[in-house]
Amino acid sequence: MKTLMFHRVSQTGSKAETVLHFNLPVYETNTLEPQAKDSFYIKDPQTGRYLRNTDATFTGLDETDDQSFLWRIRPMPLYGDRYMFVSQTDNNKHLSDEGTLTTKNDYSKHSFNLFRKYSDEDLYAIGLSSTAGSGFLETDADDPALSVTKGSVFSEFPFVIIRKVQPNDPDGIKDCRNETEYTVNPIVSYSCHGQELYLKSKEAGILRIYSLSGVLLQTETCEMGDNHIRLLFRNKGICIGLYATSTDKRQSIKITRNSVI
């Protein structure tokens, strides 16, 4: 949020002030570099719902049917470095410029610009191509379907795009059982009591918490020293935390939840 203030002084000496508040989004365009093996979730952060790849509607994530929520993001270098969103359930279907699934290969219309907000939250605006008439995909808390707004200006980033962490990824959830017990000079120590996580860190960093299936559940910015984190998810059992510092130090922690919120 930015503030612009106008001060006016009349010839008689009387003063007046006008204050304007406005958002000035800072973002980067089409910088996502997905690999062929990568799968992604598309999440509405306002409702916590995920975009299903069988009907292009937002609904609660069902980890027992994880495949129905995964998308392949296909780079289209011949079409302005834009991207296509391909269903991982049916590779013949992808998102259209109307926000619905289609099998038509109209690449110039069905490829999108990705505007990523500068933040730690992976927030995106998804823009239509000029061939499709410009505009943006939008979400609505009262309607599970995607909608389209026309225009070339936006101020909101209504989507979170989350890469699914694979168990064998170098930075992923690879056999983290008891890993902290064998970490030389660990960065963090921690304890978990119900939905309260107490974490002490030697360096400031980002903690990302994943389910064992690789779904990102929560992201927290941590300071050096003591941090008190309230766990927001309802998963019972084991989750994996990946802690990373700005100096590229990393540590995995095993978070055990014995009760459901």
Side-chain angles (χ1 to χ4, degrees):
M1 177 70 71
K2 302 295 182 180
T3 302
L4 185 63
M5 301 180 65
F6 294 94
H7 297 276
R8 301 184 301 276
V9 181
S10 69
Q11 293 181 347
T12 61
S14 60
K15 298 180 180 180
E17 179 180 280
T18 301
V19 180
L20 300 176
H21 300 283
F22 58 96
N23 287 315
L24 183 63
V26 180
Y27 58 86
E28 54 189 10
T29 305
N30 295 344
T31 56
L32 186 66
E33 298 180 348
Q35 304 300 311
K37 66 176 182 178
D38 288 341
S39 296
F40 294 86
Y41 300 97
I42 302 173
K43 181 180 180 181
D44 178 357
Q46 300 300 318
T47 63
R49 298 181 300 190
Y50 289 75
L51 188 65
R52 192 162 49 195
N53 63 36
T54 56
D55 56 7
T57 61
F58 283 95
T59 184
L61 181 66
D62 180 2
E63 289 194 46
T64 64
D65 188 22
D66 189 58
Q67 188 71 14
S68 295
F69 294 88
L70 293 175
W71 299 82
R72 182 165 69 92
I73 299 180
R74 177 183 171 187
M76 304 293 288
L78 298 180
Y79 294 87
D81 289 324
R82 298 191 297 270
Y83 307 87
M84 288 182 65
F85 292 88
V86 182
S87 167
Q88 289 282 49
T89 299
D90 184 348
N91 290 330
N92 293 316
K93 295 182 179 180
H94 55 269
L95 278 183
S96 73
D97 56 315
E98 297 177 348
T100 57
L101 286 176
T102 183
T103 57
K104 296 180 180 179
N105 293 324
D106 193 343
Y107 298 142
S108 61
K109 284 188 175 182
H110 299 164
S111 53
F112 299 87
N113 292 301
L114 288 182
F115 304 93
R116 181 183 182 276
K117 184 178 181 180
Y118 278 113
S119 72
D120 297 325
E121 302 173 280
D122 292 325
L123 292 171
Y124 286 83
I126 301 177
L128 276 60
S129 68
S130 58
T131 307
S134 299
F136 297 88
L137 297 183
E138 298 287 349
T139 62
D140 186 340
D142 298 321
D143 187 345
L146 288 166
S147 59
V148 177
T149 59
K150 294 298 183 179
S152 58
V153 179
F154 69 97
S155 60
E156 302 294 332
F157 298 83
F159 302 97
V160 179
I161 296 179
I162 306 166
R163 183 177 71 89
K164 179 174 180 177
V165 177
Q166 303 296 339
N168 58 350
D169 280 355
D171 298 327
I173 306 174
K174 57 175 184 178
D175 196 13
C176 295
R177 293 171 296 177
N178 300 321
E179 183 172 328
T180 53
E181 284 83 346
Y182 300 99
T183 301
V184 178
N185 297 321
I187 311 166
V188 300
S189 57
Y190 67 99
S191 62
C192 185
H193 306 280
Q195 65 191 85
E196 309 299 326
L197 176 65
Y198 299 90
L199 183 142
K200 187 171 185 177
S201 176
K202 294 179 180 178
E203 294 185 28
I206 302 294
L207 175 67
R208 292 181 172 88
I209 303 174
Y210 297 86
S211 70
L212 289 181
S213 64
V215 177
L216 179 64
L217 302 173
Q218 189 170 339
T219 302
E220 296 288 342
T221 300
C222 300
E223 304 293 336
M224 182 176 67
D226 294 324
N227 296 271
H228 176 202
I229 298 168
R230 183 176 179 83
L231 301 177
L232 304 177
F233 48 90
R234 298 177 59 86
N235 297 57
K236 181 180 178 180
I238 296 174
C239 296
I240 301 300
L242 301 179
Y243 191 85
T245 72
S246 59
T247 57
D248 206 30
K249 294 178 182 177
R250 298 174 183 271
Q251 182 180 336
S252 300
I253 63 174
K254 181 174 67 176
I255 302 170
T256 302
R257 291 283 315 283
N258 295 318
S259 61
V260 179
I261 299 173

